[in-house]
Amino acid sequence: MSEKLLELKNVTMKFGGVTALNEVNLHVNKGEIAALIGPNGAGKTTVFNVVTGVYKPTSGEVNFVGQSVVGKKRYQVTKIGIARTFQNIRLFGESTALENVVTGADVHSKSGVIGSIFGTPRSRREEKAALERGMELLAFMGLKHRAGQLGKNLPYGDQRRLEIARALATNPQLLLLDEPAAGFNPAEKVALAATIRKIRDAGYTVLLIEHDMSLIMDISDRVAVLDFGQKIADDVPKVVQNDPRVIEAYLGAPADAS
Amino acid sequence: MADKKFRYNVRDHAAEYWERSPKWRRVCLSISFIAFFYALPFLNNPLINTPGSDFQSVLFYPVGMYVLMAIGLNIVVGKSGLLDLGYVAFFAIGAYTMAILGTHTGLNFWEILPIGIALAMFSGALLGTPTLRLRGDYLAIVTLGFGEIVRIVAVNIEAIGGPRGIAGIPTPPDFFNAKFTILDPKPYYWVLLTFTLLIVWMVRRMAARRPGRAWDAIRQDDDVAQLMGVNTLKYKVWAFVLGAAVAGAGGVLYASQILSIVPDQFNLNVSILILACVVFGGIGNLWGVILGATLLAFTPERIRFLSQPRILVFGIALVVMMNLRPDGILPKKKREHFDPNWHTVEESGEGEIK
């Protein structure tokens, strides 16, 4: 049950004089929905960037199923099974929805330029498999009817969902969602929560950053709280919700506490 | 109404017509299209002829050669979004390979061709591997430098003729009944056309498959492409290498036709002009690039009767054109597809995944 999929050990990330993460210890167990919350600027997205190889941590270790992620190229991190979405949507706007997803699915193809020129059997097979996988994921995210539309022309909510589909296409063991519900209305949030649960039930592990507390408390198995680059709590939602340090980080210290 | 007529989109309609056509019609269209281009040297009519220069020569150089090079450069600039200002270097490497091996060894054109292509590809990989980590302007400057270095090296090596270049390059051996001589550019044109068709076919295949998607991703957002598992450096180097291969093949053929080459033929102007073809035609759109290169190569020859002012006229035409159609004659614009099979609107999470 508590097999650690991802583990951050004493990770510190400094940008010049600014310490974005300070000795953060964090782990994600296989098969759970973990959440990372904290006020703006707490370092949540920095955690994602460190995990996916965008930043190299100043010190500390990041281990994913027993191997270190530090120093790995970004595409290699994706290949070993970590995929992410972005806080500010970053789709390939000039590509169709299907192409966006298939770009992710291509990770598992072995054929490349030569294979595609000569149309080798392997290239054809992989091409077909990637397209099928792409359609399957679009259908899963309720985007099948958008397959032929350009990324930039999709409505906002569909763009967010397409990002999740694209990340899933890489067949990740760990899916990192950076504020997937940002800008969603309550009904869309409920639907998203159901989708995230289904993703987990299909065998994926999810780590999400979110500001919507009711969504977090509803779906997460565990919640970690960051404040000014430090982890101040890490427990089941019920406990975190009542942790005085968390309340202080979000609302400020009560007047009678000092 | 007039507005609507103005917006009639020839390209989209043509593409739709093509997609709706049954296979037999596509085959017929392709064959007549290709046959037209093979027959082009004989269609010397007043509409498209070039008073002042030999029409058949113009078809080979500059028109055919520019089209070939523009298609090659389009893989680099248009598909992958890498600004390459030293593209002429690969053309020069192909031409010098033909010149050196042709004059010093007994190898003929068909034997030197793969060597020239391989050398151009190798230099593409050699230049690309360290420099493609750079982005945008920095890459442009490095490639600009590379283009000049190749030319200056050729000027300074006495063994390959220095500034005088190499003369007496052999023509290709007879091919069935076709004789390759300086007086008859037709066979060269047909070889060049065959190269071009082959490359168009290859590029179209790649564009529709994994490499095409990888290049699309790299061009649009390099960082995200990497995070979606695209080995961006590998695909950028491939784009460079493929572009170099096309220019190398063009260089070998060019040298065997022109019979003597000098380093100054491979100056920065050529790189810029090929890039202009790509931009003018519609960056990233294969047919646009072909059309752009044809027009840019053909127009100065067509108006040669204007003698000196023709370059000025040509320049004005360019400026006017880029103002009227800033994205090129046939801009790259993906059309959206609506497949009726996709129109089964499902609730989010209806489908299943594993």
Side-chain angles (χ1 to χ4, degrees):
Chain A
M1 176 59 215
S2 62
E3 188 196 335
K4 282 176 187 168
L5 192 63
L6 175 76
E7 191 174 24
L8 277 71
K9 280 189 200 158
N10 301 321
V11 169
T12 299
M13 182 76 229
K14 287 183 180 160
F15 299 102
V18 182
T19 306
L21 296 175
N22 191 3
E23 300 280 316
V24 171
N25 287 292
L26 193 72
H27 70 275
V28 179
N29 296 324
K30 198 168 168 50
E32 71 177 354
I33 299 176
L36 190 56
I37 64 171
N40 287 324
K44 303 181 297 288
T45 300
T46 308
V47 170
F48 274 23
N49 283 333
V50 166
V51 171
T52 51
V54 175
Y55 299 147
K56 195 165 178 276
T58 315
S59 67
E61 287 176 44
V62 181
N63 293 320
F64 182 72
V65 271
Q67 54 181 322
S68 176
V69 171
V70 177
K72 275 210 161 54
K73 299 228 164 54
R74 296 169 198 184
Y75 72 90
Q76 290 170 329
V77 174
T78 310
K79 229 168 226 177
I80 62 171
I82 305 177
R84 68 176 289 183
T85 65
F86 300 86
Q87 188 177 350
N88 43 339
I89 301 167
R90 289 175 79 176
L91 288 169
F92 303 123
E94 300 292 333
S95 301
T96 64
L98 183 60
E99 285 168 336
N100 267 281
V101 181
V102 177
T103 305
D106 281 337
V107 176
H108 302 289
S109 300
K110 292 198 171 57
S111 58
V113 173
I114 303 287
S116 72
I117 293 178
F118 296 107
T120 57
R122 187 174 72 177
S123 163
R124 284 160 190 264
R125 200 172 57 237
E126 285 177 346
E127 195 72 14
K128 190 160 165 270
L131 283 171
E132 273 168 10
R133 176 74 176 148
M135 275 323 276
E136 185 184 308
L137 284 166
L138 285 178
F140 174 71
M141 293 307 294
L143 293 170
K144 201 175 172 191
H145 60 298
R146 302 281 190 202
Q149 277 174 271
L150 297 188
K152 64 174 182 187
N153 294 346
L154 296 187
Y156 176 83
D158 285 349
Q159 291 192 350
R160 282 230 174 268
R161 282 184 279 271
L162 181 56
E163 275 218 327
I164 298 178
R166 184 178 65 177
L168 280 174
T170 66
N171 250 341
Q173 294 187 58
L174 175 65
L175 178 65
L176 307 175
L177 301 175
D178 201 340
E179 298 198 22
F184 275 17
N185 65 32
E188 285 176 312
K189 280 179 185 166
V190 172
L192 179 72
T195 307
I196 294 176
R197 275 208 194 86
K198 279 187 93 170
I199 291 170
R200 192 262 312 266
D201 294 343
Y204 300 89
T205 304
V206 180
L207 172 62
L208 78 156
I209 292 175
E210 194 40 72
H211 277 303
D212 186 274
M213 285 305 144
S214 56
L215 180 71
I216 292 281
M217 297 303 158
D218 179 22
I219 63 169
S220 353
D221 299 314
R222 217 153 45 77
V223 179
V225 188
L226 282 181
D227 189 27
F228 292 112
Q230 281 180 315
K231 192 171 85 170
I232 57 170
D234 187 352
D235 213 324
V236 293
K238 267 264 143 45
V239 179
V240 169
Q241 218 168 359
N242 299 314
D243 189 320
R245 291 182 64 193
V246 177
I247 296 168
E248 191 188 318
Y250 270 90
L251 301 174
D256 60 352
S258 52
Chain B
M1 194 64 204
D3 187 44
K4 197 169 183 186
K5 198 165 188 183
F6 180 68
R7 277 162 200 247
Y8 183 85
N9 191 323
V10 180
R11 187 201 51 202
D12 283 7
H13 282 85
E16 262 164 42
Y17 179 76
W18 176 260
E19 269 158 27
R20 270 192 267 103
S21 295
K23 189 151 193 182
W24 63 266
R25 198 195 284 158
R26 291 190 191 187
V27 172
C28 289
L29 278 172
S30 308
I31 289 175
S32 41
F33 196 66
I34 291 167
F36 168 76
F37 283 106
Y38 275 101
L40 205 53
F42 302 112
L43 304 175
N44 192 357
N45 71 59
L47 241 155
I48 56 165
N49 72 357
T50 48
S53 39
D54 175 29
F55 179 64
Q56 294 178 351
S57 301
V58 167
L59 278 184
F60 174 76
Y61 187 93
V63 176
M65 205 52 92
Y66 277 27
V67 168
L68 181 77
M69 302 251 285
I71 293 171
L73 186 60
N74 188 44
I75 303 173
V76 183
V77 180
K79 302 259 179 242
S80 350
L82 308 163
L83 187 51
D84 181 353
L85 294 178
Y87 193 58
V88 72
F90 305 117
F91 184 60
I93 287 166
Y96 263 93
T97 308
M98 177 69 210
I100 295 166
L101 294 181
T103 50
H104 287 82
T105 67
L107 297 174
N108 71 28
F109 170 80
W110 299 105
E111 290 154 355
I112 296 171
L113 182 65
I115 301 172
I117 294 175
L119 277 177
M121 287 172 89
F122 176 71
S123 50
L126 205 66
L127 170 69
T129 310
T131 59
L132 285 169
R133 291 164 214 275
L134 302 173
R135 291 188 186 179
D137 306 347
Y138 303 101
L139 179 67
I141 290 167
V142 173
T143 53
L144 181 77
F146 178 71
E148 285 297 280
I149 286 167
V150 168
R151 184 178 63 84
I152 293 166
V153 164
V155 168
N156 285 293
I157 297 181
E158 265 313 309
I160 55 169
R164 282 168 288 107
I166 300 175
I169 304 166
T171 58
D174 294 354
F175 192 72
F176 296 107
N177 275 330
K179 287 193 176 22
F180 291 86
T181 64
I182 182 84
L183 297 171
D184 184 11
K186 285 199 295 296
Y188 290 100
Y189 169 74
W190 286 324
V191 170
L192 182 58
L193 182 59
T194 311
F195 282 3
T196 308
L197 291 172
L198 212 66
I199 287 157
V200 167
W201 177 73
M202 283 180 176
V203 168
R204 279 174 57 85
R205 284 185 86 121
M206 281 189 290
R209 297 178 182 194
R210 189 187 183 195
R213 286 190 294 270
W215 289 329
D216 275 346
I218 291 166
R219 191 186 66 244
Q220 293 178 50
D221 195 329
D222 199 316
D223 295 319
V224 176
Q226 287 180 37
L227 287 168
M228 290 302 134
V230 179
N231 185 347
T232 54
L233 183 64
K234 180 175 131 190
Y235 277 97
K236 286 184 195 174
V237 172
W238 261 118
F240 238 61
V241 166
L242 291 167
V246 174
V252 172
L253 185 61
Y254 176 72
S256 76
Q257 197 265 343
I258 198 100
L259 302 185
S260 73
I261 53 171
V262 292
D264 271 348
Q265 282 166 312
F266 309 106
N267 59 19
L268 180 62
N269 281 353
V270 181
S271 296
I272 302 290
L273 207 54
I274 302 295
L275 185 64
C277 293
V278 173
V279 175
F280 183 75
I283 211 163
N285 180 3
L286 186 61
W287 305 119
V289 163
I290 292 172
L291 185 64
T294 308
L295 288 176
L296 284 203
F298 178 74
T299 314
E301 299 297 336
R302 184 74 183 81
I303 60 174
R304 193 172 274 280
F305 57 86
L306 294 174
S307 75
Q308 280 308 313
R310 80 194 166 97
I311 300 299
L312 181 67
V313 172
F314 180 64
I316 292 170
L318 264 186
V319 172
V320 169
M321 188 61 210
M322 290 322 282
N323 272 296
L324 291 177
R325 293 197 73 114
D327 293 327
I329 305 172
L330 291 176
K332 176 194 176 74
K333 200 174 130 221
K334 268 226 175 88
R335 287 171 316 119
E336 303 200 309
H337 295 273
F338 294 96
D339 187 324
N341 293 328
W342 297 343
H343 275 269
T344 47
V345 180
E346 287 163 84
E347 284 302 305
S348 180
E350 269 300 290
E352 290 299 326
I353 51 161
K354 174 57 222 127

